[in-house]
Amino acid sequence: MNGVRLDPFPPVHRQGSQMATMRENEASAEAPATPETPGPDSLSPSGAVDPKALFLGPKAENQPFFMEMLDYMMDDHSKWREYFHPDDPPAVTEADRALPAFQETLLRTRQTLVELAGLLQVHPVPWFSPRYLGHMNADTLMAANLAYLLAMIYNPNNVAYEGSPATTDLELEVGRELGVMLGYDSQSVWGHITSGGTVANYEALWIARNLRSAALAAAAVIPAAVAGKSPRALLGLPPAALLDLLDKARAAGATDALRAASARGRGLLATGQELGVVIVPRTKHYSWVKAMDILGLGQDNLVEVEVGADFRMDIKALRAALADLDAAGRPVLMVVAVVGSTEEGAVDPVHQIAALRKEREAAGLSSFFLHVDAAFGGYARCAFLAPGGRFMEPEELPPRLAASATGDLGTAWPSPMVYAAYRAIPEADSVTIDPHKLGYIPYAAGAFVLKDRRGLDLVSYFASYVFDKADDNPRLLGSYILEGSKAGAAAAAIWAAHRVVPLDAGGYGRLIGASIEGAGRFHAALSSAPAFVVGGKRYRTVTLTQPDLNMVDFLFHEEGQTDLSAMNALNAKLYEGCSSKGGPLYAGEFITSKTSLTHEEYGDAPLPFIRSLGLPESEWRRVGSVFVLRSSVLTPNLAGSQAFAAYWDGFLGAMARALAKAA
Ligand SMILES: *Cc1c(COP(=O)(O)O)cnc(C)c1O
């Protein structure tokens, strides 16, 4: 390999590694040193990263380094086993090894792995390639993959501290790092790792539901604290005031009584009051529909607010929906703002929603729990952070994106709206963020972040007196999360990624910035591409909307075509030619995903787009659905005009061939 051999034992790890600690103890007989961890206010250490050194690479270019670390890891782990009570006799002896059954067992293992390797390549998804512009996955960070493998051999279970003394702490540390990155106070925030954004959304609604129910129960349990407040007024209290009520209950020694009198004890009808509706934008992820079902709130109580032609929640429509609910006397439990919608990458105006909530509270109208579903877009907040975590002013943003904005990209990123929305995220009460999307971490890695850790009490299965005292108890994760046994390896993977790629503009900001730049180039090129001429017909590529993040939706339109079903059929055929489903290994020249924007889900949000193509509104009414190709551009390898140009030429050729087949 390339000559340079890194010291695999940097000082901190030399202290932290059990193996190394043992070696040192043998020599010096000193007490084991504890690894250094950053103080509560610090983000991960800063320093710019080179995206080219982060991944195995589209051609496995960094395989030598990967193998070197694999070797080191297996060696370190094996030595740990050896050194654990060195006087214990080995369980596998040379005589065992000589037995035919032993050899056959190894042979079977080998054959099985060879078979699996084959199976995994039958319909593989080449997400490492810049040709893959499909779903929200891309190459994953070497640091995360290696850390996952290393931790996996130790098989830690983060459900309880006993099963994972190292990785439970890493999970809580990662939760705090994400909280600080999202703009929360490091002392009061709490976060942890979930299997994905879906479960994080469930946890948010679980806490919001129990908070509301506890407020109503307070009238029975600590009446003095809520004297003179009607149930309706209690439901409308701001989340912070509801949390203060929990404190009062605790001070009165009534926490358990409050739990028993709320939905947690007696069920949803405990207090005889509707807990309220949940408001989401039309672009919501379907996990919200499931959440309403699972938490017993009822799918009918999910209220969808219209989105504009930009697919962002329409703040006027939200205001109107709230007014309607006020008039009907119905409380609002939660409003969800989406930062990076799953299908369009659209960013809702979090700042406007937070301002609207303040305005309502000032006017004596009911408040609500504000949750930001940033499963997709959350990590992009790093692009706005100076080293140390300060949210930068617009003019301080990294020149790379700003410069490309004035050049090939056509438009600036971020738009003032996107900037303001990201700045306002810490006004929300909780956030969902997926490390397995823009964090470039292997599955399963989502995260839930709660602004005010007092809210944990609402889902805790500790006796209240335990929860009162020690900071230690939150290490028993299983007692106040939705899941039970869970991989500590996921925590190790995210923790390692955050060490290598700092959570600021020079780290993740640079990596995600490169992918946004690539998406911007793709969008600009699609918007201005010359027409394809096939069989005397002219086809143009048209983009759905200016993306807020690295997601580009587009379609092919035959000039003069006014039949929406024919247009949908053409694009569906094109998709068949460029999807990762089916088809032999090397056939897919270019891989995208697709989605249908339907009237049922989106209302009339797609209508302005349909009209811009010259199709009459009657076609939208008749067909009620538009098929678009959807490209999640997560690769950092399309940034830069040269890298992009090489790819774009190939794309044009592939599309011309696909059109010739489909048209
Ligand atoms: C992906 C996504 C989810 C669900 O996350 P999973 O990790 O797939 O469970 C929720 N909300 C949004 C906006 C998403 O993009």
Side-chain angles (χ1 to χ4, degrees):
M1 52 155 287
N2 334 334
V4 196
R5 212 184 145 87
L6 291 175
D7 176 6
F9 299 102
V12 173
H13 290 127
R14 193 176 283 133
Q15 291 178 342
S17 152
Q18 309 214 32
M19 179 51 220
T21 307
M22 264 183 229
R23 284 189 208 117
E24 279 169 8
N25 287 349
E26 278 159 29
S28 66
E30 272 171 24
T34 39
E36 276 172 43
T37 45
D41 287 317
S42 59
L43 284 166
S44 39
S46 283
V49 290
D50 182 353
K52 288 192 194 298
L54 290 176
F55 301 99
L56 184 57
K59 298 277 169 226
E61 295 90 333
N62 289 320
Q63 193 212 12
F65 174 77
F66 201 97
M67 290 306 297
E68 179 192 331
M69 293 316 297
L70 266 186
D71 237 21
Y72 156 70
M73 282 159 28
M74 275 317 295
D75 200 45
D76 190 64
H77 177 82
S78 302
K79 291 220 179 79
W80 175 65
R81 293 190 182 208
E82 275 180 53
Y83 279 68
F84 182 73
H85 289 280
D87 47 331
D88 287 350
V92 185
T93 63
E94 282 310 316
D96 291 331
R97 261 189 268 274
L99 294 174
F102 187 100
Q103 291 302 322
E104 264 172 41
T105 306
L106 288 189
L107 182 64
R108 208 177 305 144
T109 307
R110 181 177 294 129
Q111 281 174 345
T112 302
L113 288 171
V114 169
E115 186 185 347
L116 177 63
L119 285 176
L120 289 170
Q121 288 190 3
V122 174
H123 293 303
V125 182
W127 31 256
F128 48 79
S129 166
R131 288 175 184 268
Y132 179 81
L133 300 177
H135 290 285
M136 294 162 167
N137 59 337
D139 211 348
T140 46
L141 297 164
M142 279 197 290
N145 292 345
L146 288 163
Y148 194 100
L149 292 170
L150 177 57
M152 189 190 68
I153 316 176
Y154 291 82
N155 200 23
N157 180 354
N158 276 17
V159 71
Y161 190 64
E162 263 187 2
S164 53
T167 50
T168 292
D169 285 345
L170 297 187
E171 175 158 353
L172 293 169
E173 188 178 336
V174 159
R176 194 183 57 221
E177 285 173 345
L178 288 174
V180 171
M181 184 273 277
L182 291 166
Y184 290 127
D185 181 301
S186 65
Q187 298 303 313
S188 48
V189 75
W190 184 83
H192 86 106
I193 300 166
T194 59
S195 68
T198 298
V199 167
N201 284 345
Y202 296 166
E203 289 193 350
L205 193 52
W206 188 22
I207 287 179
R209 186 197 77 170
N210 287 358
L211 186 59
R212 277 294 178 81
S213 176
L216 290 174
V221 178
I222 42 167
V226 296
K229 288 211 165 60
S230 68
R232 191 65 224 279
L234 281 172
L235 285 176
L237 286 176
L242 294 179
L243 289 167
D244 291 344
L245 268 184
L246 297 186
D247 286 345
K248 287 188 183 146
R250 191 177 298 139
T255 301
D256 289 341
L258 194 67
R259 282 186 194 174
S262 75
R264 300 190 68 188
R266 295 213 202 117
L268 277 178
L269 294 178
T271 42
Q273 291 281 327
E274 182 195 22
L275 294 179
V277 302
V278 173
I279 297 184
V280 292
R282 287 270 198 185
T283 49
K284 63 162 196 309
H285 187 267
Y286 69 100
S287 53
W288 290 106
V289 183
K290 290 201 250 171
M292 296 300 283
D293 173 359
I294 293 167
L295 287 162
L297 295 166
Q299 293 179 15
D300 288 354
N301 295 317
L302 192 66
V303 172
E304 299 194 11
V305 167
E306 301 301 324
V307 294
D310 49 16
F311 294 89
R312 301 169 183 156
M313 184 193 273
D314 179 345
I315 193 75
K316 283 203 207 90
L318 173 62
R319 197 180 274 278
L322 288 167
D324 285 352
L325 290 160
D326 286 343
R330 302 193 66 192
V332 175
L333 175 55
M334 179 189 258
V335 173
V336 178
V338 178
V339 168
S341 65
T342 316
E343 298 193 307
E344 306 84 5
V347 174
D348 283 341
V350 181
H351 54 299
Q352 292 175 351
I353 301 169
L356 179 55
R357 177 167 68 163
K358 276 199 192 126
E359 185 190 309
R360 288 179 62 86
E361 289 171 1
L365 294 167
S366 60
S367 185
F368 48 80
F369 194 99
L370 176 56
H371 177 77
V372 170
D373 183 357
F376 178 46
Y379 268 80
R381 197 170 193 272
C382 297
F384 302 93
L385 303 183
R390 185 178 56 83
F391 200 92
M392 290 186 278
E393 296 307 313
E395 59 278 9
E396 293 175 89
L397 292 180
R400 192 180 165 82
L401 284 173
S404 53
T406 52
D408 305 355
L409 288 189
T411 37
W413 191 91
S415 67
M417 207 302 296
V418 168
Y419 175 85
Y422 272 97
R423 182 162 218 159
I425 286 177
E427 301 206 34
D429 300 297
S430 57
V431 179
T432 289
I433 174 171
D434 266 353
H436 64 212
K437 288 179 182 162
L438 284 179
Y440 298 86
I441 310 275
Y443 301 111
F448 171 68
V449 177
L450 181 65
K451 176 187 202 150
D452 187 333
R453 56 188 299 139
R454 289 182 297 166
L456 274 186
D457 214 0
L458 290 156
V459 287
S460 156
Y461 278 78
F462 289 111
S464 56
Y465 69 88
V466 181
F467 203 82
D468 271 351
K469 294 186 261 177
D471 201 26
D472 267 8
N473 297 307
R475 285 166 155 188
L476 242 163
L477 277 167
S479 285
Y480 47 97
I481 62 173
L482 210 48
E483 293 159 81
S485 290
K486 61 203 288 286
I494 305 172
W495 179 86
H498 289 184
R499 302 270 94 45
V500 176
V501 190
L503 292 160
D504 58 27
Y508 268 107
R510 176 126 193 254
L511 174 56
I512 296 168
S515 80
I516 291 176
E517 184 184 330
R521 288 184 190 281
F522 190 50
H523 178 264
L526 286 169
S527 307
S528 59
F532 293 80
V533 184
V534 179
K537 294 180 184 161
R538 295 166 61 83
Y539 298 88
R540 284 190 315 125
T541 47
V542 195
T543 51
L544 178 67
T545 177
Q546 175 69 41
D548 288 338
L549 284 165
N550 38 357
M551 182 85 73
V552 183
D553 288 355
F554 64 103
L555 54 72
F556 285 78
H557 178 228
E558 182 191 336
E559 277 181 14
Q561 175 66 270
T562 54
D563 179 334
L564 181 52
S565 4
M567 186 176 84
N568 286 344
L570 171 74
N571 284 281
K573 263 200 211 160
L574 285 169
Y575 168 73
E576 290 306 319
C578 59
S579 77
S580 56
K581 266 197 260 163
L585 179 51
Y586 301 105
E589 291 189 77
F590 164 86
I591 296 131
T592 177
S593 68
K594 50 113 188 177
T595 187
S596 283
L597 307 176
T598 63
H599 182 264
E600 191 190 343
E601 291 225 42
Y602 281 91
D604 283 334
L607 183 55
F609 173 66
I610 301 284
R611 281 216 194 93
S612 76
L613 300 173
L615 273 69
E617 180 174 340
S618 56
E619 276 298 282
W620 173 243
R621 301 274 164 244
R622 179 178 73 82
V623 180
S625 162
V626 58
F627 186 104
V628 297
L629 301 168
R630 165 182 173 271
S631 284
S632 214
V633 185
L634 263 60
T635 174
N637 293 325
L638 293 180
S641 51
Q642 277 185 351
F644 182 77
Y647 175 83
W648 177 246
D649 287 347
F651 173 81
L652 285 179
M655 283 298 135
R657 285 186 288 279
L659 269 171
K661 255 197 244 163

